[in-house]
Amino acid sequence: MNQKISEQEAIRREALQQLRELGINPYPSETYDVNALAGEILEKYPADDSLFGEVQLAGRIMSRRIMGSASFAELQDDSGRIQLYFNRDEICPGEDKSMYNTVFKRLIDIGDIIGVKGFVFTTRMGEITVHVKEFTILCKSLRPLPVVKEKDGKVYDAFTDPEQRYRQRYLDLIVNPEVKDVFRRRARVIQSMRDFLLDRDYLEVETPVLQPIYGGAAARPFKTYHNKLDTTLYLRIANELYLKRLIVGGYDGVFEFAKDFRNEGMSRFHNPEFTQMELYVAYKDYAWMMDLVEEMIEKIVLDLHGTTLIPVGEHRIDFRRPWKRYTMYEAILHYTGTDISGMDEAAMRSFADEIGVETDESMGRGKLIDEIFGEKCEPHLIQPTFITDYPIEMSPLAKKHRSKEGLVERFEAICNGKEICNAFSELNDPIDQRARFEEQLELGRRGDPEAMVLDEDFLRAIETGMPPTAGLGIGIDRLAMILVNKPSIQDVLFFPQMRPESSVTASDEKDEFTSAGIPEEWAKILPQAGYSNLKSLKEANPNKVFNQLCGLRKKMKLDIPAPKPEDVKKWMQDENG
RNA sequence: GACUUGGUAGCUCAGCUGGUAGAGCACGUCCCUUUUAAGGAUGGGGUCCUGGGUUCGAGUCCCAGCCAGGUCACCA
């Protein structure tokens, strides 16, 4: 494997080599036992300076200030950063000062991982510092790290390019400590939710990601193939139909934190794979589920922030119970001033046109209501709000409303202008369910790529009998965005989906040249002379190439004989003809 | 998918109406015995995203493409 390396990387590789020559293994195998963390020392030492008389810690070097025989560095471990003090005569008590002069000063770089042994003290400047008596190289870093500096809360040279931050998340985590914290908080959201559900004795389960029939949501799937079974499988878009089968099987409450996959556009609210928590509880209805959602989210927010009132973007959002509740018709009445509940499809369409909501002929009454709501109401719902009683056309898995014609028993919680959960009284009438699937099939025949497909085994399960059940889906990523106050889903996913990096590597170029009979030592250089492929080389003037190579040889102090002009000409002729 | 902004050194960015590519940090060398984003001096480092075009001459102007961000559309 060859790769283009910058000057700084070359210097690090040289240092690596020198370490080996000094008999130091830059990548040792042994356990390095640690008895303290940076954050722990900074927290406890001020109260009791008799602590930490003998500490051993390990981490990455983040900065160095070398002044003759004394040096300061910063060590970063999982808990934070702490200053290190190195003194030549303490690192090297004997005559041989190379461990300090050579190894520490010349062969260690920012980014290297070391272990240190010493004691904690406070410098004249008042900074808690580890006085290092001994250090061990645990890993030599070959790439320069972005160096971010900070003073009084002001950050200098921050590592901010989103593309690099997402593609190289490890760098982001190393140099932007608040990013690490975001993911800790995300983990706490999930843990808090899990604790809540386990406290109620619901069973955490796992259901298939690979599904022969995808269902449970309106979305386009990813398609894959199983060789042995010779069958098409889909990555799940939801796990709803599997969890309901478990309710049929007799569990009273099941939930799953599920990775779902949807083959759709990407945006700051959409990643092709995302996490959803789905919960199904027997003998309950959607009104009961609304209370559960309120209680659960309020608890999570309290666990995370210690208060229910939190900043989100330019708003302050209060999750304290009870949340506002509107039916969909009420919400539309509230935001447009018009009661549309009695309108037929034609009246509704002209009303939509009137208020500037785009419609098309394929939209039925339910879709029109949904469009009006999405356009005129949803963006205004900043404080957590339940919207209830959705049109039946949009909800093929929800039970018909007990008293309102044309609606289903469904609610969503909207917060910060976005849906954060979706729930209903689950449809358990098998005849009705089959009819709803048939309607979906009809939509599919008319070309709706997101229409649901009919799952015969799921119907068989429902025919066996499912108790009345309340079901819930919460988008974990979207909830995390709100609770950690990040505007983009990419900020709460470690590795958001990105288009693959183009991979024209130096080795490809080199191989192309060597296979044309050009010696390897020159093939390596040619890209630097501006010839990225054989074609561009052959189009060039041989004398110019010869001169460039000689120039580069001198510039790079290459220890190889200069090429002969006739050799260069020979490389550039078409050796095939 | 549409519109829009951006892509210049390892990182953050400047570069005017087109005229020899710059700064800070990082890196190398030398000096300095406790510094606080920063010691002093000095030096090296570039496929200016890619490919075409205009031009005597393109980082800069034009066209096409790639990648990313934002807005919208699609979408839970």
Side-chain angles (χ1 to χ4, degrees):
Chain A
M1 274 281 262
N2 270 276
Q3 52 192 124
K4 280 182 198 168
I5 57 174
S6 68
E7 184 192 31
Q8 290 194 47
E9 290 171 273
I11 289 164
R12 284 172 181 241
R13 277 159 202 257
E14 180 59 29
L16 178 77
Q17 190 52 38
Q18 285 184 41
L19 285 171
R20 289 212 157 104
E21 282 162 13
L22 287 169
I24 295 170
N25 180 358
Y27 303 104
S29 318
E30 298 79 16
T31 295
Y32 192 86
D33 286 316
V34 159
N35 66 11
L37 292 174
E40 185 191 354
I41 294 171
L42 295 178
E43 186 194 327
K44 295 182 184 161
Y45 186 77
D48 181 357
D49 64 8
S50 69
L51 295 170
F52 307 114
E54 231 175 87
V55 290
Q56 186 150 318
L57 53 173
R60 194 181 293 274
I61 297 194
M62 298 305 289
S63 74
R64 294 200 307 158
R65 295 182 287 275
I66 295 175
M67 28 256 316
S69 62
S71 298
F72 290 87
E74 278 183 296
L75 186 83
Q76 174 168 288
D77 64 19
D78 191 20
S79 70
R81 283 189 195 188
I82 192 163
Q83 178 166 272
L84 305 179
Y85 169 66
F86 291 79
N87 178 293
R88 182 183 59 207
D89 297 326
E90 298 215 37
I91 299 294
C92 313
E95 286 301 302
D96 178 9
K97 303 297 184 192
S98 60
M99 198 60 188
Y100 180 80
N101 286 338
T102 308
V103 177
F104 177 75
K105 277 169 68 172
R106 307 186 55 166
L107 303 181
I108 296 248
D109 289 292
I110 290 176
D112 290 355
I113 296 169
I114 66 169
V116 299
K117 210 172 180 173
F119 61 89
V120 176
F121 75 113
T122 305
T123 64
R124 259 189 238 162
M125 301 298 292
E127 179 147 353
I128 297 169
T129 300
V130 176
H131 186 122
V132 178
K133 302 251 208 213
E134 248 184 83
F135 70 95
T136 310
I137 296 179
L138 301 177
C139 175
K140 179 77 196 155
S141 165
L142 295 184
R143 285 178 184 266
L145 225 47
V147 176
V148 180
K149 298 194 176 179
E150 186 242 310
K151 163 81 169 174
D152 298 334
K154 193 173 174 195
V155 179
Y156 300 79
D157 300 325
F159 179 64
T160 51
D161 177 15
E163 178 168 2
Q164 292 199 77
R165 288 185 48 225
Y166 302 148
R167 285 194 198 277
Q168 301 187 69
R169 182 67 90 179
Y170 39 90
L171 286 183
D172 195 26
L173 290 164
I174 291 168
V175 305
N176 294 328
E178 68 283 1
V179 173
K180 230 171 148 182
D181 193 48
V182 163
F183 288 97
R184 286 208 182 92
R185 283 186 280 156
R186 179 191 162 112
R188 228 182 302 152
V189 168
I190 292 170
Q191 185 173 346
S192 177
M193 187 180 290
R194 176 174 281 126
D195 289 346
F196 178 92
L197 296 167
L198 291 174
D199 263 0
R200 296 185 164 219
D201 284 333
Y202 303 141
L203 183 69
E204 182 165 12
V205 300
E206 291 171 276
T207 61
V209 171
L210 289 173
Q211 304 180 349
I213 296 172
Y214 60 95
R220 303 168 76 170
F222 287 92
K223 198 172 174 181
T224 185
Y225 178 76
H226 189 284
N227 293 338
K228 191 65 196 281
L229 295 176
D230 185 21
T231 195
T232 296
L233 293 172
Y234 300 91
L235 301 186
R236 70 178 166 203
I237 57 172
N239 55 357
E240 169 156 357
L241 304 186
Y242 283 91
L243 293 180
K244 285 193 212 170
R245 284 172 171 98
L246 297 180
I247 296 294
V248 170
Y251 292 110
D252 278 347
V254 291
F255 69 94
E256 179 175 13
F257 285 90
K259 264 287 180 76
D260 291 337
F261 305 83
R262 298 187 183 176
N263 207 340
E264 291 162 352
M266 290 161 58
S267 75
R268 70 190 177 93
F269 292 103
H270 300 264
N271 194 65
E273 56 182 292
F274 64 100
T275 304
Q276 195 169 202
M277 196 289 294
E278 291 200 37
L279 166 70
Y280 292 84
V281 183
Y283 310 111
K284 305 296 184 191
D285 67 2
Y286 78 135
W288 176 89
M289 186 62 90
M290 243 182 290
D291 294 337
L292 177 139
V293 169
E294 258 180 358
E295 187 184 341
M296 179 168 72
I297 303 288
E298 186 193 60
K299 173 212 178 253
I300 292 167
V301 176
L302 280 170
D303 280 355
L304 201 63
H305 292 98
T307 168
T308 57
L309 184 63
I310 63 170
V312 180
E314 59 194 359
H315 301 108
R316 292 178 71 77
I317 295 183
D318 194 346
F319 287 91
R320 192 197 329 203
R321 286 182 285 169
W323 299 354
K324 265 187 244 150
R325 298 184 183 193
Y326 287 128
T327 67
M328 204 170 223
Y329 287 138
E330 284 167 358
I332 291 171
L333 172 61
H334 186 262
Y335 285 102
T336 68
T338 304
D339 180 2
I340 62 168
S341 61
M343 291 183 183
D344 62 9
E345 186 179 320
M348 205 170 283
R349 189 181 305 276
S350 64
F351 172 67
D353 292 343
E354 202 177 294
I355 60 173
V357 173
E358 281 183 39
T359 61
D360 66 60
E361 283 309 306
S362 76
M363 292 178 178
R365 190 171 180 277
K367 183 72 183 166
L368 288 169
I369 295 171
D370 194 56
E371 284 294 316
I372 293 168
F373 176 79
E375 189 78 19
K376 293 292 167 189
C377 306
E378 196 171 21
H380 303 297
L381 295 168
I382 302 301
Q383 300 302 322
T385 306
F386 287 116
I387 301 297
T388 62
D389 300 346
Y390 281 63
I392 190 167
E393 296 89 331
M394 316 300 302
S395 317
L397 298 165
K399 201 177 244 186
K400 279 179 183 151
H401 197 281
R402 60 195 75 178
S403 60
K404 296 176 187 166
E405 189 65 27
L407 301 181
V408 291
E409 297 200 350
R410 170 177 174 183
F411 73 84
E412 292 187 359
I414 315 284
C415 180
N416 204 30
K418 277 277 167 191
E419 167 210 348
I420 55 171
C421 79
N422 182 15
F424 19 92
S425 301
E426 300 295 333
L427 178 54
N428 66 342
D429 173 344
I431 309 289
D432 190 3
Q433 183 66 81
R434 184 175 289 277
R436 305 270 199 102
F437 273 140
E438 300 285 358
E439 285 162 21
Q440 289 291 311
L441 289 181
E442 183 51 37
L443 284 178
R445 275 193 285 271
R446 280 197 265 153
D448 181 349
E450 283 157 7
M452 292 188 190
V453 289
L454 189 144
D455 186 334
E456 198 60 62
D457 177 70
F458 173 69
L459 283 170
R460 186 164 60 185
I462 297 296
E463 284 163 9
T464 303
M466 181 173 80
T469 297
L472 167 73
I474 291 191
I476 296 296
D477 310 291
R478 295 222 184 137
L479 180 65
M481 283 166 65
I482 291 172
L483 298 189
V484 306
N485 194 12
K486 289 289 167 192
S488 160
I489 199 169
Q490 290 157 309
D491 288 320
V492 298
L493 296 171
F494 275 126
F495 304 104
Q497 196 60 243
M498 304 283 274
R499 211 174 280 272
E501 280 182 277
S502 63
S503 58
V504 178
T505 64
S507 63
D508 292 342
E509 294 158 356
K510 195 204 70 181
D511 290 350
E512 193 182 352
F513 290 134
T514 50
S515 60
I518 299 172
E520 178 160 347
E521 59 268 30
W522 293 113
K524 275 193 293 200
I525 312 297
L526 282 165
Q528 297 188 36
Y531 305 103
S532 58
N533 56 49
L534 203 54
K535 187 165 168 275
S536 66
L537 178 66
K538 289 192 173 181
E539 283 164 0
N541 179 333
N543 290 320
K544 183 179 172 197
V545 175
F546 170 72
N547 281 329
Q548 281 177 312
L549 288 178
C550 291
L552 280 168
R553 170 176 169 269
K554 200 170 167 189
K555 188 174 167 192
M556 298 168 70
K557 301 192 178 78
L558 293 174
D559 195 17
I560 46 179
K564 295 196 183 88
E566 54 268 31
D567 289 340
V568 176
K569 258 178 216 159
K570 208 186 293 169
W571 303 340
M572 295 175 60
Q573 282 159 9
D574 198 339
E575 68 289 338
N576 300 322

